Amino acid sequence: MRLRLLRSSRWRRAAALAAAIAGVALSGRAEPATPSEAATELVDSAPAPGEKALAARLLAPCCWNQTLDVHESPVASDLRREIRARLRRGEAADAIEQDLVVRYGDRLRAAPSSGVLGKVALALMLGIAATFLGVFALLRSWRRGAAQPTPPSGAAAGAVRDEYDERLDDELRARDA
């Protein structure tokens, strides 16, 4: 009897209808995309010039953990789409970044702008450069000192005499006498 129920046309139709509904529901679309829609999606998914660099400089405002270029969230996807559309319209990347920073705050930037941090970095680099120049000058002076001849000693010292040596010797002889 059970076998007869499975073979009945009513059950077959119900199973076919359920399979069709499940297929449509799982596909996400009830109708196939037209070629123009598919081409538009392909063009829209191609990054605009400068988009990747801008997305790499901005954090995702949903969690502030990753940059927009790697973060996968609806907010990050929306911002990437907005950046792409605005770049294609001809807006400058800096203007877009500034607008987004006004909207979400300075925390949106992955790296802070060159404020205090830039000045500290410049001072640090100048300090390192001055240290290297000082070490270079010190090594050069040591090298010059090693290259100069040493004054003669011993018997050769008598050969290099001046009038002060003669006067000193005369005074010493006069004292001894």
Side-chain angles (χ1 to χ4, degrees):
M1 180 164 215
R2 203 174 208 185
L3 188 58
R4 238 192 279 181
L5 283 176
L6 289 176
R7 287 186 181 174
S8 74
S9 62
R10 237 187 251 186
W11 283 105
R12 276 189 262 164
R13 277 189 240 152
L17 182 61
I21 290 173
V24 168
L26 291 176
S27 72
R29 282 192 160 176
E31 60 199 46
T34 61
S36 63
E37 288 177 3
T40 304
E41 286 181 15
L42 184 61
V43 169
D44 286 343
S45 66
E51 177 187 349
K52 288 184 179 184
L54 180 57
R57 291 194 313 251
L58 301 174
L59 291 175
C62 55
C63 64
W64 307 107
N65 288 334
Q66 293 178 323
T67 55
L68 286 176
D69 60 337
V70 296
H71 192 66
E72 292 299 325
S73 71
V75 175
S77 297
D78 290 343
L79 283 176
R80 281 193 300 267
R81 264 187 248 112
E82 178 184 346
I83 289 170
R84 182 178 302 133
R86 290 175 74 175
L87 285 172
R88 286 199 178 132
R89 283 193 306 255
E91 287 186 54
D94 292 336
I96 297 170
E97 179 179 357
Q98 195 62 29
D99 180 53
L100 292 174
V101 167
V102 166
R103 219 184 319 168
Y104 292 100
D106 198 40
R107 189 175 177 192
L108 187 71
R109 288 191 173 112
S113 61
S114 60
V116 175
L117 185 61
K119 292 176 185 174
V120 169
L122 178 64
L124 185 63
M125 289 183 351
L126 288 175
I128 290 172
T131 303
F132 278 124
L133 286 174
V135 168
F136 177 73
L138 184 64
L139 290 174
R140 190 169 177 173
S141 69
W142 285 348
R143 194 170 197 185
R144 279 188 190 158
Q148 291 178 352
T150 57
S153 61
V160 181
R161 292 183 60 99
D162 57 1
E163 68 179 74
Y164 294 114
D165 288 330
E166 295 298 328
R167 199 166 107 197
L168 182 63
D169 287 342
D170 290 339
E171 287 178 10
L172 287 174
R173 275 187 230 116
R175 188 171 172 214
D176 288 338

